[in-house]
Amino acid sequence: MSDEKSLAPLSDPGLPAHKYRKSDIDQKAAKRAEQQVAILFLLSAIGTLLVVYSYIFIPVDSFIFLPIMGEQNAHQLFLGLGLAMALFFIGAGAVHWAKTLMPDHEEIDERKPMRSKDEDRDAFVETVRERAADSGIARRPLIKRSLALALGLVGVSPILLLRDLGPLPKDSLEKTSWATGTYLVTDPGDRKIKASDLEVGAVAQVLPELAPGKKRKLEDIGKDAVLLIRLRPEEFQLDAERLSWTHQGIIAFSKICSHMGCAVALYEQGTKHLLCPCHQSTFDVTRAAKVIFGPAARPLPQLAITVDNEGYLIAKQPFTEAVGPSFWERSS
Amino acid sequence: MTARERIAANVANYVDERTGAAKWLKKNLNKVFPDHWSFMLGEVALYSFIILLLSGTFLTFWFDPSMREVEYEGSYLPLKDVKMSAAYASTLHISFDVRGGLLMRQIHHWAALIFMAAIVVHLLRVFFTGAFRKPREFNWIIGVGLLTLGIVEGFLGYSLPDDLLSGTGIRIAEAIIQAIPVVGTYLAFFVFGGPFPGEVFIPRIYIVHVLLLPGIFLALITVHLMLVWYQKHTQYPGPGRTEKNVVGYRLMPVYMAKAGGFFFIVFGITAFLGAVASINPIWLYGPYTPGQISAGSQPDWYMGWLDGLVRMAPPIETHAFGYTISWNILIPGLIIPGIIFTAMALYPFIESWMTGDKKEHHLLERPRNNPNRTAIGAMSLTFMLVSLINGGNDLIATHFHLSINQIMWGTRIGILLLPPLAFVITKRICLSLQRADRESVLHGKETGRLMMLPHGEFVEVHEPLTAEQKWTLTQHEQQGPLQIEAEDARGVRNPKSIRAKLQNRMSKAATETIAKPTAEQVKELESGHH
C-alpha cells in the first residue's frame, strides 16, 4: 500500500453545473422579485416617517403598556422602532435584490503565492545593501552609537512628563480619618449615635464625624466607611483584646473589602456572616471578621470603639492596620 | 450619450486625471469574494464598530465627562436634589431629557455587546477552520489585539456614567493595578491622580475611550481589511476550489449590495434592540459612592470570565520583609489573562512548529480534519465557560436556589478538570467523524431502507456519494508526524536531542488522523459492487 499510485487522492470533479434561479428563467418571477425589493424599500421609507412623527408628536414622558415588556416610554419606543424599520428594510431590500436579480454565476480568480519572485527578492536585498552602504552607517560606528544613545534616551522625556499625573502614595493608604475619640456618625445623616440606638441584630453604616466646615470627599469615604453590628456579647468568640474593642455587643469593622475594596454590604442575620457582593468573600462577625469563604485573604480590619461620658459612640483608637485591598508596601 | 452619462464621464475623467484611480478600480471592482455565512461574522464586528462611532458621537454632544459635584435638577424625580457627579447627571439628562437620547445610549451599549460577541465568534471561526495559517499570521495577531482592546474599550465605556455599578467595576480595576508588585501603588496613584476615586479618572478614561482607543481601532481595522483584500479571502474546500484560485462573486454589484445591505440590517437589528430591550438602566443604581454597593454586581459579559476567575481564586497572600504580594488578585487578574492572550497570539506559530507545516494555505480546514487544534479550541472554550459561569455565581445561586459555596467549589474543581476532559472528548469525536467520512466515501450513505435479497437476507441500501461529495470529504491533505533527527554542527546525528524528540512527539499528537480513502480503494470497492 505504500507505492505512490495506491495513495493517490480522488480527483477534483471541478465546479458543479450552474443551477438557474426561478427569476433567471421566468420573467414573471423576476418581475415579482423586483416588486418585493421595492416593497422592502418602501417599508424603510415608512420607518423614517414613523421616526419623524414620534419625534415631533409623541411627548417625551408618555408611557404605553405592552404585554411581556410592561410599561414602556412610548416616545423612545416608537422612535426606535421607526429607526429600526428605516435601516433594516434598506438592508433587506438590497440583499433580496442581490440574491434574486443580480448575477449568481460563480466566478474564478487566480491566486498568486505571496512570496515575491526570487529575482525581485535578490534585487531588494541588493538595493538595501547599497543604500545602507551609501549612508555609511556601517563604516562610522561613532554615528551609529551616538544615534543609538540619543534614540534610547529620547523616550525618557514622555515618561518623565507623565510624572505629574498623580501624587506619590506616601502613607496615605495606611491612614484613615479615624483618630482616638472621633465620634461615629450615621451615613447618611451625620448624627452621633448612642449604643441604645442600635438593637441587637441591627446593622448601621457610620463615618467619622467631620470637622466643622469640612467637606466629605469620596476618597475619604472609600477608606473611612465602617459597619456597626450589634450582637449579644456572649455570641462573640474573640480574644480579650478584640473583645475590649467592642462595646455592649457592638462591633465595628471597615466596610471596605480587604480583597478588592468593594463595600461589604450584605449581612446575614442568621449566620452572622458578612458577604461581599463583588466576589463573595464571606467574613464571620463573631470571630473578628475572619475569612470563612471566598478569595479575600485577610479579615476586615476591626475598629476599636467605646463611648464618651454622654454615651455617644467614639473610636477608642485609629485603625491598627491599613483598610481596603492589599498593596505592595502593606506590611501585614 | 445621455446627459447623465456625460456628467458621470466628466467626473470620472476629472478624478482619474488626478489620481489614476481607473486602473485600480477596474481591477478591484472585479475582485472575487468567496461566499459563506460564516464570513459575515467579521462583517458584523466591522458594522457594529461603525454603529458605535455614530451613536457614540451623538452621546458626546451631551455627555459631560466631569466629576464635579452637582445637584440633580432634571426630570427623573426619584433622584431630584441628590448630589452626584456631572458625568452621572448628564447621563440622566441624555436618558430622560434628550429626545432619542435613551435610544442612542441603548443602541450604543447593545452595539458594544454585539461588537464583542461578533469578534469572539469570528475569532472562533478563524481558529477552528485554520484560517490563521500561513500567510495570515499577522492578521491573526491584529485580531487578537482588537479583541483585547475591545474588552478594555467596553469596560471604560460602561464606566463613564459614574453610577454605583460602574464605579464598583472601577474600584476592582484599581485594586488589580494596586496589586502589581513594587510599582502597583504608584501606578494606581498616577492613574487616579491620588487615592481612589479622586476627581480625575472620568475625564481621563473619557479621552481614552472616545479618542485614543477608537483611533487605534481604526488603524488596526484598516490594516486588517487591507490584508484580507491583498491576500484574498480564504475559501471552504469543495469541487473546483483549490489553493490556487478563489471562487465566488464579484465585488460589483453582488458584494456591494450584499455587504452594504448587511450593514443596514445589522444597524436595524441593533436599533430594534435599543428600542425594546432596556440595557444598563443607570438611574436605578444611583450615583457612585465607595461606601455603597448594589447586590448582584455584574460586569458586561466579555468581562465576566475575568470576574469569575477572580471570584474562584484561593485566598492566598504572601507577607514577607514588610511587603505584600496578593496572589489572589495577581493570578486571576493578570497572570492567567496574560498567559491566555499571549498563547492565543502565538498559536499560529506554535501550531506550525508542532506540525512542521510551513506551506501557504488558502483552503479552510474542516474542524474534524484537524482533531488536535479543534480539541485545543474546545479546551480553551471550556475554560472560559467555567470562568464565565462562576462570574455569574451569585445570580445562578439566587435563580436556581443553590448555595454560592457549592457553585464556587464546583467551578474551582471544574476549571481544572473539565478543560482537559473537553480536549480528550473533542479529539475522539473528531477522529470518529473522520471514520464516518471515510465510511461514507467508501460505502455510501445509509439510507435506512432495507432490501431483501433473493435468498432471504436483509441488507440496508447504501446510496453512493456523488463525485463532488466524495471530493469534498477527501480533498484535504494528510500530513504524517515529523521525524526530525537532530544533527550537531558537524552533521553527526544526535538521537538524544531533547528538542527534536519533543517536536517529534508534539507533531505525532498534532497530526493524528484517520487515513482518508484513496482513489485506489474507492475504485476497488466500486468495481466490487457492480
Side-chain angles (χ1 to χ4, degrees):
Chain A
M1 285 292 281
S2 64
D3 64 294
E4 279 293 304
K5 209 182 138 200
S6 67
L7 284 175
L10 303 186
S11 53
D12 183 356
L15 275 183
H18 184 69
K19 284 201 195 90
Y20 286 93
R21 295 165 299 189
K22 217 169 175 189
S23 51
D24 291 330
I25 33 179
D26 181 358
Q27 272 305 313
K28 266 192 199 151
K31 192 78 200 158
R32 243 188 342 263
E34 186 186 348
Q35 285 161 353
Q36 286 161 352
V37 171
I39 289 173
L40 291 170
F41 285 151
L42 283 177
L43 281 173
S44 159
I46 292 172
T48 302
L49 291 181
L50 181 59
V51 171
V52 175
Y53 176 84
S54 316
Y55 196 86
I56 300 174
F57 296 108
I58 302 182
V60 183
D61 54 356
S62 72
F63 282 82
I64 175 173
F65 183 82
L66 294 176
I68 304 169
M69 288 154 51
E71 198 83 343
Q72 290 268 321
N73 181 312
H75 171 78
Q76 93 96 22
L77 178 69
F78 286 107
L79 210 54
L81 290 179
L83 189 62
M85 271 179 78
L87 294 164
F88 181 85
F89 286 112
I90 289 183
V95 171
H96 193 56
W97 180 11
K99 286 202 144 189
T100 51
L101 296 169
M102 289 183 190
D104 77 331
H105 271 278
E106 286 196 305
E107 318 254 1
I108 301 177
D109 257 8
E110 296 301 313
R111 265 184 213 279
K112 279 180 287 218
M114 283 296 127
R115 192 180 195 277
S116 309
K117 285 193 212 104
D118 281 343
E119 60 257 37
D120 288 338
R121 289 157 61 105
D122 293 344
F124 164 76
V125 172
E126 194 49 40
T127 312
V128 172
R129 277 222 186 95
E130 266 174 32
R131 300 297 139 83
D134 288 350
S135 76
I137 193 153
R139 277 176 293 122
R140 301 189 200 284
L142 185 62
I143 290 186
K144 191 160 83 182
R145 282 174 204 153
S146 54
L147 178 62
L149 176 76
L151 287 178
L153 282 179
V154 84
V156 170
S157 316
I159 294 172
L160 184 72
L161 288 172
L162 288 177
R163 161 61 191 87
D164 276 348
L165 277 174
L168 296 184
K170 304 224 170 80
D171 61 349
S172 78
L173 286 181
E174 307 269 358
K175 281 190 188 155
T176 67
S177 317
W178 293 99
T180 308
T182 309
Y183 283 102
L184 280 61
V185 295
T186 57
D187 174 35
D190 283 316
R191 286 183 315 274
K192 293 182 203 170
I193 20 181
K194 287 185 170 168
S196 53
D197 294 342
L198 277 180
E199 295 183 11
V200 171
V203 186
Q205 174 170 315
V206 295
L207 288 168
E209 190 191 32
L210 271 179
K214 273 194 83 180
K215 233 175 93 49
R216 208 185 284 288
K217 287 192 198 154
L218 287 186
E219 60 208 55
D220 294 331
I221 301 177
K223 285 188 293 186
D224 295 342
V226 160
L227 215 52
L228 288 185
I229 301 156
R230 183 159 192 177
L231 305 180
R232 274 186 294 275
E234 64 271 20
E235 285 170 322
F236 288 123
Q237 304 170 37
L238 301 171
D239 60 33
E241 191 196 11
R242 288 304 184 95
L243 196 61
S244 72
W245 290 6
T246 66
H247 177 77
Q248 292 182 2
I250 301 177
I251 191 164
F253 296 111
S254 164
K255 198 187 179 187
I256 309 303
C257 188
S258 60
H259 177 223
M260 294 180 110
C262 294
V264 184
L266 300 179
Y267 176 61
E268 283 184 337
Q269 273 202 344
T271 54
K272 305 193 172 41
H273 292 167
L274 274 170
L275 182 85
C276 177
C278 283
H279 304 105
Q280 285 86 46
S281 296
T282 311
F283 306 89
D284 185 352
V285 173
T286 62
R287 286 183 288 169
K290 184 179 145 90
V291 183
I292 52 168
F293 189 73
R298 287 180 287 108
L300 298 171
Q302 185 184 345
L303 180 69
I305 54 169
T306 182
V307 285
D308 70 356
N309 11 6
E310 291 170 66
Y312 288 109
L313 288 171
I314 55 170
K316 205 182 216 174
Q317 60 185 36
F319 275 110
T320 55
E321 56 179 317
V323 304
S326 296
F327 50 98
W328 172 247
E329 295 86 352
R330 195 180 196 283
S331 51
S332 62
Chain B
M1 214 192 254
T2 63
R4 196 181 296 171
E5 276 174 344
R6 218 167 28 243
I7 296 169
N10 281 338
V11 172
N13 176 54
Y14 186 90
V15 174
D16 186 57
E17 282 183 349
R18 281 154 186 83
T19 59
K23 192 179 164 202
W24 189 85
L25 280 174
K26 175 202 76 180
K27 194 170 139 223
N28 284 290
L29 289 176
N30 270 327
K31 201 174 176 65
V32 166
F33 281 92
D35 208 19
H36 192 269
W37 66 265
S38 70
F39 299 160
M40 295 195 311
L41 298 166
E43 275 183 73
V44 177
L46 174 68
Y47 300 150
S48 311
F49 180 68
I50 298 171
I51 297 168
L52 284 166
L53 289 183
L54 294 173
S55 55
T57 305
F58 179 90
L59 296 175
T60 61
F61 295 150
W62 289 275
F63 181 66
D64 178 4
S66 154
M67 298 176 84
R68 180 171 40 89
E69 193 179 81
V70 296
E71 261 179 40
Y72 180 65
E73 296 298 341
S75 58
Y76 183 64
L77 294 178
L79 288 176
K80 194 169 161 47
D81 297 332
V82 172
K83 286 192 178 138
M84 56 181 65
S85 66
Y88 186 64
S90 61
T91 312
L92 290 173
H93 176 71
I94 292 172
S95 305
F96 292 104
D97 298 307
V98 175
R99 281 185 279 179
L102 179 61
L103 176 68
M104 278 298 171
R105 259 196 64 224
Q106 301 199 142
I107 288 178
H108 195 68
H109 205 130
W110 274 115
L113 297 187
I114 294 171
F115 178 59
M116 290 311 297
I119 289 181
V120 170
V121 184
H122 172 59
L123 180 135
L124 293 177
R125 196 283 291 169
V126 168
F127 181 83
F128 283 113
T129 59
F132 55 80
R133 290 172 297 170
K134 187 181 172 187
R136 296 185 176 77
E137 299 98 326
F138 293 158
N139 239 7
W140 169 263
I141 292 177
I142 293 176
V144 173
L146 284 167
L147 168 72
T148 319
L149 287 181
I151 294 175
V152 176
E153 178 74 345
F155 174 71
L156 295 185
Y158 74 68
S159 297
L160 282 174
D162 202 23
D163 56 282
L164 190 53
L165 180 63
S166 73
T168 304
I170 289 285
R171 170 84 249 202
I172 293 168
E174 195 265 355
I176 294 180
I177 299 175
Q178 203 173 287
I180 300 172
V182 187
V183 293
T185 316
Y186 289 85
L187 280 182
F189 268 64
F190 289 163
V191 170
F192 287 86
F196 176 86
E199 283 168 356
V200 296
F201 81 82
I202 293 279
R204 283 182 185 175
I205 66 176
Y206 178 70
I207 206 64
V208 173
H209 179 78
V210 303
L211 180 71
L212 191 59
L213 285 179
I216 297 174
F217 265 108
L218 267 179
L220 288 180
I221 290 173
T222 308
V223 177
H224 201 69
L225 292 179
M226 279 167 64
L227 276 170
V228 170
W229 194 276
Y230 181 67
Q231 296 179 326
K232 299 202 169 103
H233 207 288
T234 52
Q235 59 188 349
Y236 281 95
R241 285 144 215 263
T242 70
E243 293 282 11
K244 295 209 165 62
N245 71 10
V246 195
V247 182
Y249 304 116
R250 301 228 181 266
L251 177 70
M252 186 172 169
V254 178
Y255 263 90
M256 280 186 174
K258 274 193 179 174
F262 192 50
F263 165 70
F264 284 99
I265 290 179
V266 173
F267 205 162
I269 291 173
T270 313
F272 179 76
L273 285 169
V276 303
S278 167
I279 187 164
N280 200 22
I282 48 109
W283 54 91
L284 298 180
Y285 308 143
Y288 179 65
T289 156
Q292 284 171 10
I293 196 161
S294 56
S297 289
Q298 288 288 320
D300 274 0
W301 74 267
Y302 47 84
M303 294 287 286
W305 62 277
L306 196 56
D307 205 41
L309 283 175
V310 172
R311 288 178 187 202
M312 72 173 82
I316 307 170
E317 235 176 43
T318 310
H319 305 281
F321 310 109
Y323 296 104
T324 298
I325 303 175
S326 310
W327 300 108
N328 52 350
I329 298 176
L330 284 175
I331 292 175
L334 289 169
I335 296 173
I336 292 180
I339 292 173
I340 289 176
F341 281 93
T342 311
M344 205 184 337
L346 295 181
Y347 185 77
F349 310 102
I350 298 171
E351 188 185 286
S352 140
W353 178 77
M354 285 199 298
T355 57
D357 182 358
K358 309 285 180 211
K359 287 194 296 286
E360 266 190 31
H361 293 280
H362 303 289
L363 278 179
L364 296 171
E365 263 182 312
R366 303 170 73 217
R368 69 183 61 175
N369 287 336
N370 197 323
N372 205 59
R373 176 200 302 144
T374 307
I376 289 175
M379 178 174 76
S380 317
L381 266 184
T382 310
F383 181 90
M384 285 300 188
L385 212 62
V386 176
S387 320
L388 186 62
I389 287 173
N390 198 49
N393 58 6
D394 45 346
L395 297 187
I396 296 172
T398 49
H399 275 72
F400 298 101
H401 306 288
L402 292 166
S403 119
I404 226 159
N405 306 37
Q406 291 165 348
I407 302 171
M408 194 91 100
W409 274 110
T411 52
R412 274 175 179 175
I413 297 165
I415 201 119
L416 298 175
L417 225 57
L418 294 178
L421 199 64
F423 180 91
V424 174
I425 293 175
T426 310
K427 197 157 177 183
R428 292 296 113 195
I429 292 177
C430 285
L431 292 171
S432 300
L433 287 171
Q434 285 187 23
R435 280 191 202 96
D437 281 351
R438 184 187 159 87
E439 189 65 21
S440 44
V441 169
L442 290 176
H443 302 291
K445 261 196 302 235
E446 293 173 4
T447 57
R449 288 202 308 275
L450 289 181
M451 193 168 73
M452 194 171 75
L453 299 179
H455 56 274
E457 185 193 346
F458 282 97
V459 292
E460 188 184 1
V461 180
H462 282 238
E463 202 174 285
L465 300 186
T466 62
E468 280 86 11
Q469 286 169 323
K470 279 183 192 164
W471 170 248
T472 308
L473 295 184
T474 57
Q475 49 71 39
H476 57 286
E477 263 181 79
Q478 286 190 324
Q479 190 202 350
L482 294 173
Q483 271 159 9
I484 300 169
E485 291 187 350
E487 290 176 358
D488 65 15
R490 275 169 296 171
V492 180
R493 284 198 296 126
N494 173 12
K496 282 185 190 151
S497 159
I498 293 173
R499 213 191 121 113
K501 266 191 182 169
L502 179 69
Q503 202 173 353
N504 288 342
R505 180 70 198 80
M506 296 294 262
S507 90
K508 207 177 145 200
T511 54
E512 190 179 347
T513 47
I514 305 297
K516 64 180 186 181
T518 61
E520 193 91 333
Q521 291 169 324
V522 172
K523 227 164 122 191
E524 221 169 83
L525 274 166
E526 274 171 358
S527 55
H529 269 304
H530 303 292

